[in-house]
Amino acid sequence: MNWLMAHRVASIAAATLRRRLDLSEDHYVDVFAGLRRCGLAVMGQDMPSLFGVYLPPAPGRHGGIFLNTTMGEATIRHTAAHELGHAQFGHERCLADGPDPFLGTPRDKWPAEEKQAEAFAAWFLMPIRLVKATLTRLGLDIPREAADVYQLSLHLGTSYRGTLRHLQHLRMVQSQVARGWATVQPARLRARLSGQAEQSPPRVWDLRSLTEGSRLAVEQGDRLIVRAPGLGADPEVTGPAGIRTLSTPYALAPGDGVELDVTAGIDAESTLTLSSHDRTQTWSATLLATPEGHRGLIAPPSRHVLVGPVNGVRQ
Ligand SMILES: [Zn+2]
């Protein structure tokens, strides 16, 4: 199976499963909500040499997914979607998902089932409708530079490289351009954006007027740069505990907006609002609860297995 075919099949399978798990195509894909509904036993644990594991159901046994919780959030999300892909296709167990599963193996030489699961993960987390809607909020029709791909990846909760790869499948970035952008280190983008060459925050959001009203899956340590010149000098910030306004911005000139740090976990979904002093102008966004450690039982097995080929035939 070539990658083109893997993507064709995966795009349909991912849309089908998102529907069965009742996950929206318009918002950030909450893969953990999907895991809780999927009928499989899902466990998060430290696994030194594996990304994830999928064990298919067998007579008298529920199927299950194990996720390595020592990875970053984008990687855990990708792995979860990859293992869901194996389940949805009815594959035999996948244990080969080590950190970079086929290190040294060219992508063209991957086994067919791994190509399918990888393609599935991309389509599951980055449905075209969501990608287009997010680009619109970023004021773009297609990405113009590497920094756009980086911002898109934050909004989608995916990795920079994974997002860049998928944009080629969506025909939004040409492969020659993508090869150039793939050499750009996200650390360089973060340094440029944050105005901090040394010790730039691990993730830097560039938020503007069009991103108002967005739902942001923030993490502890994130920097939020809100460019809202209409709010005047020193806008008032209201939001959950764990959000700290930088008294001396690094990237913005006075009056151009506000820089905020996510210094602690955000317990529950909350609204972040910036208001001008006369309260006539506001900018707001929804901050999703910051992810927990994902360690332990994420979802107990349930009788109603929703994931897998509809006809029950293992492929
Ligand atoms: Zn796999």
Side-chain angles (χ1 to χ4, degrees):
M1 176 176 295
N2 64 26
W3 277 102
L4 190 66
M5 186 55 72
H7 276 278
R8 224 171 257 171
V9 175
S11 67
I12 297 164
T16 305
L17 185 59
R18 266 197 318 272
R19 259 198 311 277
R20 278 158 88 183
L21 297 177
D22 197 21
L23 295 173
S24 162
E25 292 213 351
D26 298 315
H27 297 293
Y28 172 83
V29 176
D30 187 349
V31 70
F32 286 92
L35 290 176
R36 286 190 292 274
R37 295 169 199 160
C38 74
L40 296 160
V42 185
M43 181 71 116
Q45 58 186 51
D46 294 358
M47 297 191 289
S49 60
L50 291 170
F51 268 132
V53 174
Y54 166 63
L55 295 168
R61 189 191 74 193
H62 287 285
I65 289 174
F66 293 90
L67 300 172
N68 184 347
T69 47
T70 61
M71 302 285 172
E73 182 70 6
T75 307
I76 299 176
R77 283 167 50 75
H78 180 90
T79 308
H82 174 109
E83 306 303 348
L84 276 173
H86 282 305
Q88 177 68 356
F89 287 120
H91 290 164
E92 290 308 311
R93 73 193 201 144
C94 165
L95 272 178
D97 299 342
D100 209 340
F102 307 99
L103 197 67
T105 312
R107 285 175 66 81
D108 279 345
K109 298 276 191 313
W110 286 19
E113 297 197 341
E114 292 309 321
K115 283 181 184 168
Q116 277 190 331
E118 269 303 277
F120 180 94
W123 286 99
F124 190 79
L125 297 173
M126 295 178 270
I128 189 158
R129 219 162 83 188
L130 174 62
V131 173
K132 282 186 173 168
T134 309
L135 284 169
T136 302
R137 279 199 290 274
L138 294 172
L140 302 164
D141 49 359
I142 55 166
R144 308 284 166 180
E145 54 177 328
D148 296 337
V149 178
Y150 176 67
Q151 289 305 309
L152 183 63
S153 74
L154 293 182
H155 284 267
L156 299 175
T158 48
S159 71
Y160 171 72
R161 295 243 149 67
T163 309
L164 181 55
R165 208 177 290 131
H166 194 54
L167 286 166
Q168 294 173 73
H169 302 130
L170 297 175
R171 299 181 193 285
M172 290 181 180
V173 176
Q174 291 181 343
S175 54
Q176 203 183 341
V177 174
R179 270 198 292 279
W181 290 354
T183 64
V184 176
Q185 293 299 324
R188 254 184 51 207
L189 299 172
R190 293 197 305 264
R192 199 179 75 193
L193 200 55
S194 66
Q196 283 179 274
E198 306 285 321
Q199 293 184 325
S200 54
R203 307 200 315 162
V204 183
W205 299 75
D206 189 9
L207 304 167
R208 295 159 190 262
S209 56
L210 282 170
T211 34
E212 178 171 22
S214 292
R215 295 165 59 78
L216 311 176
V218 295
E219 292 176 29
Q220 192 173 341
D222 283 7
R223 169 77 45 85
L224 313 180
I225 299 175
V226 185
R227 298 177 200 274
L231 301 181
D234 297 321
E236 192 180 316
V237 178
T238 53
I243 296 289
R244 185 174 66 89
T245 307
L246 267 60
S247 50
T248 320
Y250 291 96
L252 295 176
D256 280 351
V258 177
E259 293 178 32
L260 309 138
D261 276 346
V262 182
T263 57
I266 293 168
D267 297 332
E269 190 171 306
S270 354
T271 307
L272 172 70
T273 306
L274 277 56
S275 323
S276 60
H277 276 293
D278 60 6
R279 312 230 164 200
T280 56
Q281 303 290 323
T282 61
W283 181 98
S284 68
T286 302
L287 305 182
L288 305 181
T290 46
E292 295 160 31
H294 306 311
R295 205 168 297 177
L297 187 65
I298 292 166
S302 83
R303 250 178 240 275
H304 306 285
V305 177
L306 293 161
V307 177
V310 177
N311 57 12
V313 174
R314 305 265 129 204
Q315 289 172 351

